[in-house]
Amino acid sequence: MLAGVLAACGNGDSMESFGGRTMGSTYSIKYVRHANLPVPAQVRSEVEKILAEVDKQMSTYRSDSDISRFNELPADRCQTMPASILELIRVGEQLSQQSEGSYDLTVEPLMNLWGFGPQGREEKVPSDAALTEVRQRVGRQHLHIDGHQLCKDAAVEVDFNSIAAGYAVDTIAAKLEAMGIHNYLAEATGELKAAGKKLDGSPWKIALEEPRDDQQVAQRVINVDGYGVSTSGDYRNYFKQDGRRFSHTFDARTGAPVSHALASVTVIHPSALMADGLSTLLLILGPERGWDYAETHNIGAFFVIRADTGFVTRTNQAFERLSSGKTE
């Protein structure tokens, strides 16, 4: 994104924006700057420090990251980890328990086997023998935390792609608040959090994308103030074989991509980390189990479901309330 400054009328406030590359994708920050706030270069420096740290700790696409080094360990080994990684392991355990094991941070070997992971080969349906072998290296029950160490009793591999960006956004938002910035929109790899108002006093507006392969089309625009927003979908990363569609969204209980009609889910939550993880969890669970989960746990969710005539949407009361921009 291009950095820009839009001066307000007479009060010295301005709208600042910057962005760049991160975690194999992009990030963008927009915020209202008052005269007594840090200069934009300092804000950018602090944000990029956070993103670099998250990438160094959690990226599975670089061999020197903390989690990649852990993934290379054999069974029955431990590795001292940063507090942030142990936090995400605990969040993953919580989401796994609440989804009866469908959500699992250790599905990376399955994704590689099906051709979707960082070490993926050809996108194709694997043999039963290959699937059986790989499933022996999948399962949250093979992980445990011992003090500051993360340990494994099988050769499991951890993948934080479903929550790392949300964690990064929460960390950036906390840093912005600490620097006195209370009106901002922070986004990384599509996960975002917005608070306060824009320069003209209007709310931050977020466009939810229609699940289409050919182009980006806004399906709905929502107002956000004080919440994280995450959308998970299976409509871009998939392959077809023998007339069947196989997406990159995996149910750890079956060891295979999900096969239901839910195309995408958007979640609004006070935490961008939890919005990130919950949108993935609901997408895995599908249009029925996912809806029941959202209702039971009072999660604001917007479902887009495939139908014979195109797409149908379903949204709950929690989503309607939170997407109005109300913080109460």
Side-chain angles (χ1 to χ4, degrees):
M1 293 179 60
L2 296 176
V5 178
L6 300 177
C9 297
N11 60 9
D13 293 349
S14 61
M15 177 73 85
E16 305 286 345
S17 65
F18 60 88
R21 302 289 301 177
T22 187
M23 293 182 278
S25 184
T26 61
Y27 80 94
S28 63
I29 308 293
K30 299 178 181 180
Y31 69 96
V32 176
R33 179 175 182 257
H34 306 304
N36 60 338
L37 293 181
V39 297
Q42 181 182 348
V43 178
R44 180 169 194 152
S45 176
E46 293 296 328
V47 167
E48 293 190 342
K49 285 179 185 177
I50 292 170
L51 292 171
E53 183 175 60
V54 170
D55 192 58
K56 180 65 170 63
Q57 292 177 355
M58 304 175 189
S59 173
T60 56
Y61 287 87
R62 50 186 294 178
S63 61
D64 63 338
S65 72
D66 292 314
I67 202 61
S68 288
R69 289 189 293 109
F70 176 81
N71 288 345
E72 292 173 357
L73 294 177
D76 301 315
R77 297 287 296 277
C78 298
Q79 179 178 314
T80 299
M81 287 293 196
S84 55
I85 284 185
L86 300 182
E87 176 188 349
L88 295 199
I89 291 292
R90 294 186 179 99
V91 170
E93 172 70 11
Q94 172 190 340
L95 296 177
S96 182
Q97 289 179 348
Q98 293 179 354
S99 63
E100 299 177 338
S102 290
Y103 177 99
D104 197 304
L105 292 177
T106 68
V107 297
E108 183 166 307
L110 284 171
M111 296 183 69
N112 288 331
L113 180 65
W114 287 78
F116 293 110
Q119 301 174 17
R121 303 296 189 267
E122 181 182 0
E123 293 182 345
K124 66 177 182 179
V125 178
S127 67
D128 290 342
L131 189 56
T132 298
E133 188 277 325
V134 166
R135 292 188 71 182
Q136 295 176 12
R137 297 185 283 115
V138 173
R140 62 179 174 82
Q141 70 275 10
H142 297 300
L143 292 172
H144 72 275
I145 295 173
D146 182 4
H148 299 292
Q149 293 187 315
L150 180 61
C151 305
K152 60 169 85 173
D153 61 23
V156 294
E157 300 175 34
V158 176
D159 184 339
F160 288 129
N161 284 340
S162 60
I163 49 178
Y167 168 82
V169 168
D170 276 345
T171 307
I172 290 169
K175 174 59 70 173
L176 295 176
E177 294 280 355
M179 298 176 80
I181 299 170
H182 306 300
N183 300 280
Y184 59 85
L185 172 62
E187 175 268 331
T189 76
E191 316 306 323
L192 60 89
K193 189 168 189 176
K197 305 293 184 182
K198 294 191 291 185
L199 186 62
D200 61 3
S202 63
W204 297 103
K205 294 183 180 294
I206 309 301
L208 306 185
E209 186 179 325
E210 183 177 329
R212 293 179 58 168
D213 300 328
D214 56 342
Q215 58 181 310
Q216 292 181 315
V217 178
Q219 186 169 48
R220 177 170 172 174
V221 177
I222 62 175
N223 298 334
V224 179
D225 181 4
Y227 292 93
V229 181
S230 174
T231 298
S232 292
D234 71 350
Y235 49 92
R236 285 221 168 91
N237 196 0
Y238 66 92
F239 69 87
K240 291 184 177 180
Q241 182 173 321
D242 299 327
R244 293 185 59 192
R245 187 179 188 276
F246 298 93
S247 81
H248 75 300
T249 303
F250 280 75
D251 187 329
R253 298 191 309 173
T254 66
V258 297
S259 58
H260 50 63
L262 186 56
S264 73
V265 184
T266 298
V267 167
I268 301 181
H269 194 278
S271 162
L273 164 60
M274 292 306 299
D276 197 0
L278 286 166
S279 65
T280 301
L281 182 151
L282 296 180
L283 184 65
I284 294 169
L285 293 183
E288 290 85 22
R289 291 174 63 208
W291 179 264
D292 291 342
Y293 179 99
E295 289 292 272
T296 298
H297 293 85
N298 194 33
I299 302 299
F302 178 81
F303 286 63
V304 181
I305 305 165
R306 292 185 182 84
D308 293 338
T309 56
F311 293 103
V312 295
T313 61
R314 190 181 189 192
T315 183
N316 59 15
Q317 291 183 354
F319 185 91
E320 294 296 343
R321 174 173 55 85
L322 298 178
S323 65
S324 68
K326 297 178 180 178
T327 57
E328 67 269 16

